Each structure stands twice: as C-alpha cells, then as structure tokens.
Amino acid sequence: MSRPAGSDFWTALRAHTPARIGQSRHGEAPGTRERLEFASAHAAARDAVHTPLDVPALVADLAAVPGLTEPVLVASAAPDRATYLTRPDLGRRLRDPLPPAEPGADIVVVLADGLSATAVQRHAAGVLRELLPLLPGTRWAPPVVASQARVALADHVGAAWGARLTLVLIGERPGLTTADSLGAYLTWAPRPGTPDSARNCVSNIHPPHGLDHATAARTIASLVRGARQLQATGVTLKEGRLELA
C-alpha cells in the first residue's frame, strides 16, 4: 500500500529545504520517484568527484575579478585522479617547485579542485569578486590554481612565498543533496605540518540553498580581520566573537 508524498503538510516544508523529507513509500520500499531522484543525486555526486577542473575556464573567470593578477598553475604530487582519491598524502604536496614570487604578501589564494571541481568552477571567482573590495590595502599574492589538490598543499605555497595568510577555496565532498559546495579555509603563518586545529573554515558555499557569495565573502573578511588582530587562526580565533562587516 502506497503512502503518497503529494499535497500534505510536507509539501510546504519541502519548499524550504532540498533535504529528502516526507518521502513516499510503497510498503517498506521507497516510491519510484524517490528511487530515481536518489539515483540521479548519487550520479551527480560521482560526476562531481571525477570531473576534472577546467583550468582555462577558471583562469578566464579569475581574469575578470578586479585586483587579481595572473594566476600561477600548479599540480599536486598525485599524478592522476585515481591516485589522488586513494593517496590523500600526495594531494597535500606540490609536484614541482613553485616559481619565485615577491615575498611578504598578506594573503595568497589557492583554488583547489578538491573533491568537487564543479564547486570551484561555479563559485570561487564569485566569492573573490565579493571579497577583495572588503579588504582594502591588502597585498594579494598571485592566485594559485592547483589540480588534484587538498587543503594542506597551500601550506607549502604560503611558506615558500612568505605569505602571512593562506585562503584555500576548495570543492567539498559531494553529498546526495549538493554536489557543488565550496569550502574556504584560512591559515595564519602557513607552513608544512600545520594542524587542522590552526585553520578556520567557512563551508557550504553554494547558492541558492547554501551560503551566497556575498555572505561568504563577509564572513571570510571578518575572519581575516580577526586573524590579523590575533596573529592566529583556528581555535584561537573564535568566529562567534567577531562582528560581521
């Protein structure tokens, strides 16, 4: 016997969330529509993990962000996607030495494909377009576009260039409701071996259901100001005590 998911009180609730609530059932099994939607979401998540980063398209998007210089392209020590997924340690290291850059930048932005290149393609440039005007006077290093990369790869970049702060924009692990969620990680005084407790993260950047670009940029800017004040990020920097600009 089926339990329809149509015009009941769940209908109004579903308008406020992409979560699977009030699912119809046929006996103990989910309804046909729900099964197909689940299979579609699972396929989208797999595609997000395996779709390669379109570097030329991302570089073109970054060129349209006022205040950014030409990006530097790097790759991690993971030679391909399959290795990247099974050897996280290789994704945290650079394959080749970085080209020299002017030392002493305030912030270096690293755009990493992570586990969803789709997220980086859709949201990274939009977040930076909103963020840069919120931090006037900041000395930005050339942005770095990193393939097969994880968050800790930016520690090598920041240390090599002597940057005070790294901002990593990276595709988050896809779920069954969102395959294009972007995360932003801030690390003060980056160096290889930095523990995750020394970072701050702004996650779930994926309008319209997650953070929009402007709100994410304001949160990141607030964290940057706090990091400058405290000369630290991570557990030392309490986001909840900062007043959003």
Side-chain angles (χ1 to χ4, degrees):
M1 181 176 180
S2 65
R3 177 165 61 83
S7 56
D8 52 27
F9 76 97
W10 291 107
T11 301
L13 296 179
R14 288 191 198 98
H16 299 284
T17 176
R20 292 179 172 79
I21 58 175
Q23 301 278 282
S24 69
R25 303 189 67 82
H26 298 280
E28 297 299 323
T32 300
R33 184 186 66 183
E34 282 74 13
R35 287 178 61 88
L36 294 175
E37 289 176 345
F38 183 91
S40 176
H42 187 250
R46 289 177 60 88
D47 285 348
V49 170
H50 292 285
T51 298
L53 183 65
D54 187 342
V55 174
L58 181 58
V59 169
D61 290 342
L62 294 175
V65 178
L68 288 182
T69 57
E70 184 176 354
V72 174
L73 310 183
V74 303
S76 77
D80 52 49
R81 197 63 174 169
T83 306
Y84 170 80
L85 294 174
T86 55
R87 290 286 306 274
D89 57 315
L90 297 180
R92 302 184 183 110
R93 307 202 307 262
L94 288 164
R95 184 184 63 189
D96 302 309
L98 279 169
E102 186 176 348
D106 294 318
I107 302 176
V108 56
V109 179
V110 177
L111 302 101
D113 47 5
L115 292 173
S116 174
T118 303
V120 181
Q121 306 275 185
R122 291 181 180 173
H123 306 304
V127 170
L128 292 174
R129 189 176 294 110
E130 298 285 346
L131 176 64
L132 265 64
L134 300 178
L135 297 169
T138 297
R139 293 182 58 201
W140 297 87
V144 174
V145 175
S147 301
Q148 316 289 15
R150 296 179 185 269
V151 172
L153 180 139
D155 296 337
H156 296 267
V157 176
W161 286 356
R164 295 178 178 84
L165 191 68
T166 57
L167 168 61
V168 183
L169 299 178
I170 187 168
E172 297 180 326
R173 185 187 307 277
L176 290 176
T177 56
T178 304
D180 67 336
S181 182
L182 185 76
Y185 289 80
L186 283 163
T187 306
W188 182 264
R191 64 194 183 285
T194 297
D196 288 341
S197 59
R199 311 187 199 280
N200 291 96
C201 177
V202 180
S203 63
N204 290 312
I205 305 170
H206 57 95
H209 297 296
L211 283 180
D212 60 71
H213 298 167
T215 301
R218 289 198 301 273
T219 305
I220 294 169
S222 178
L223 288 168
V224 169
R225 297 188 194 100
R228 286 169 170 168
Q229 180 179 352
L230 298 176
Q231 304 279 287
T233 47
V235 295
T236 305
L237 178 60
K238 303 297 186 184
E239 181 183 359
R241 297 179 182 176
L242 301 176
E243 182 179 352
L244 298 182

